[in-house]
Amino acid sequence: MKTRTIAEPYKIKMVESLKTTTREQRLAAIKEAGYNTFLLKSDDVYIDLLTDSGTTAMSDVQWSKMMIGDESYAGARSFYTLEAAMHEIYGFKHLIPTHQGRAAEHLTSLIRIQPGQYVPMNMYFTTTRAHVERVGGIFFDCIIDEAKDTKVIHPFKGNVDMAKLQKLVDEVGPEQIAYLNIAPCVNMAGGQPVSMANMREVRAFADKYGIAVIYDATRAVENAYFIQQREAGYQDKTIKEIFRELMSLADGCTVSSKKDNLVNIGGFLATNDDGFARRAKELVVVFEGMPTYGGLAGRDLEALAQGMREMVEDAYIASRVRQVEYLGQKLIDAGVPIMLPIGGHAVFLDATNFLPHIPQDNFPAQTLAAALYVDSGVRAMERGMVSAGRDPKTGENNRPKLELVRLTIPRRVYTNLHMDVVAESCIELYENRHKIKGLTMTYEPDSLRFFQARFEELEPAMA
Ligand code: F0G
């Protein structure tokens, strides 16, 4: 029998109109935005693949829960609803809500890092690394080398290289490691997962040296899906079971709820460590609000609790990752260079191989994201040298091996016809790639420069 199509496990109840623009309007808009897609007005964007962060469509049940949010300042019922959902799904003892993920990273870095200590991560994430470095911590990249080659196919390209970790501990001593910060599904590596077997090794290593494991569990559900699909022994387990097992290997986690958790705002810190939780509750009052709301409204906590339950439904997560694969496969079939294998939340165009004639100093990924917008109104994001920033010691540009453009798919928002439009635009740009020239940076903010940096075209090639 022919394989049958599997459709989305939901139907659409409310729609939001999309605005189309002319090429001339888009040229004016990107120029005004300094060729930085972060600085475009969303009204000038047709299909917005800037990020999967906070861009989710909530379910009717989530919206209905918002009506029963308890807005009490202290001890709100909605906190206890969220705590029960976190206990059931994640299984950690303590919950400290925050207004978004980076706030949980802020608290974690302040509490757990002494100046000069190392924080090994399976590749960096922009905000996480910024918080580590602000308190004098040193980022140490312990991801496997395969992660940095867009063409290598590996089922778990987010894995930790145990030899790199061992070497660091041998050189600096275990007391110089603040904690291991592991991301199940590595955003900057292209949405690539870690395996359960690798996380067990990480756990054993941490136990041997008395080091804590704190996940960045922002996209860990997508990781659980890849484990179910790719790792021996997990095919018959539910996503909920796999997710819980994955979480059981860490001492705590920070989460941006704007991704997996299916809400538009929120985040949290969760941990089994009583001392860490106590310190976090002391500090959250300074930066976010009472430990029972952490910068969120009662209704946000309700929507988040419901989102946690929906995110581990097998049919939902399968449909979500399959949509990303649908777009990625179209590009692969057309010969467009992308990061392989296709990741969990996004398709990453490989700008180095897409635009080999543009040197890294002229920002190929930044250029490609701008050109894509001008071509079709599709907004993507640079994940290359601009995002990587500068070395805090030398002031030199960090030169990441990966120069990528992220086509990030919001959850439950676009249809596969939208994906077709995106694919057609990428393919046509690839066919005319020689016409695309590079950019120079004209304004550079001190930290997290990719959000607000401005550029000019080397020559007016996009006109
Ligand atoms: N960790 C990861 C892996 C992330 O992808 C993000 C955000 C954060 C932490 C920070 O969370 O935004 O809630 O403060 N990523 C967004 C993105 C911005 O577009 O990838 P936040």
Side-chain angles (χ1 to χ4, degrees), residues 79-92:
F79 170 77
Y80 298 102
T81 304
L82 177 62
E83 191 184 44
M86 192 284 287
H87 283 156
E88 179 191 330
I89 311 288
Y90 288 80
F92 293 108

Side-chain angles (χ1 to χ4, degrees), residues 38 50-53 99-103 105 125-128 183 185-188 216 218-219 254-259 265-267 345 381 383 406 408 450-451:
F38 277 101
L50 183 73
T51 177
D52 61 332
S53 182
H99 79 279
Q100 54 185 78
R102 69 197 70 181
E105 295 164 3
F125 183 70
T126 53
T127 60
T128 326
C185 256
V186 184
N187 188 355
M188 303 299 280
D216 177 344
T218 294
R219 294 187 184 81
T254 60
V255 174
S256 166
S257 297
K258 302 170 76 173
K259 286 81 166 175
I265 193 71
H345 66 304
M381 182 194 289
R383 292 276 86 152
R406 190 179 73 171
T408 340
F450 57 94
F451 283 128

Side-chain angles (χ1 to χ4, degrees), residues 4-16:
R4 296 276 185 98
T5 302
I6 306 172
E8 292 80 2
Y10 50 82
K11 57 185 176 176
I12 297 165
K13 185 175 284 191
M14 190 188 279
V15 297
E16 183 180 344

